[in-house]
Amino acid sequence: MDIAALSMQTSALNTADMVSVAVFKKALETIEDSGEGMIKMMEQSVTPHLGQNIDLRV
């Protein structure tokens, strides 16, 4: 194998690795954002005063 072909192959592999890492980082950011959104929704759905009082009429 000649040096030029080896160099091109190495460059292609490095580029593919960099793209894979970038895609993984983006996916991780998306998952983190989704998790934060889920936490906010859960915090807003909690009503601690609900169920403490009962109104009764006879």
Side-chain angles (χ1 to χ4, degrees):
M1 186 184 280
D2 62 0
I3 300 295
L6 184 60
S7 175
M8 288 180 65
Q9 231 178 10
T10 303
S11 177
L13 287 174
N14 286 340
T15 303
D17 286 345
M18 290 186 333
V19 169
S20 295
V21 169
V23 169
F24 179 73
K25 283 183 180 180
K26 186 62 178 172
L28 193 58
E29 289 173 3
T30 303
I31 291 169
E32 288 175 348
D33 290 343
S34 296
E36 289 173 4
M38 184 73 71
I39 290 171
K40 286 181 183 177
M41 284 186 351
M42 290 173 66
E43 287 173 348
Q44 291 174 353
S45 71
V46 175
T47 51
H49 61 279
L50 189 64
Q52 291 179 352
N53 300 322
I54 298 174
D55 293 334
L56 296 176
R57 289 185 185 201
V58 180

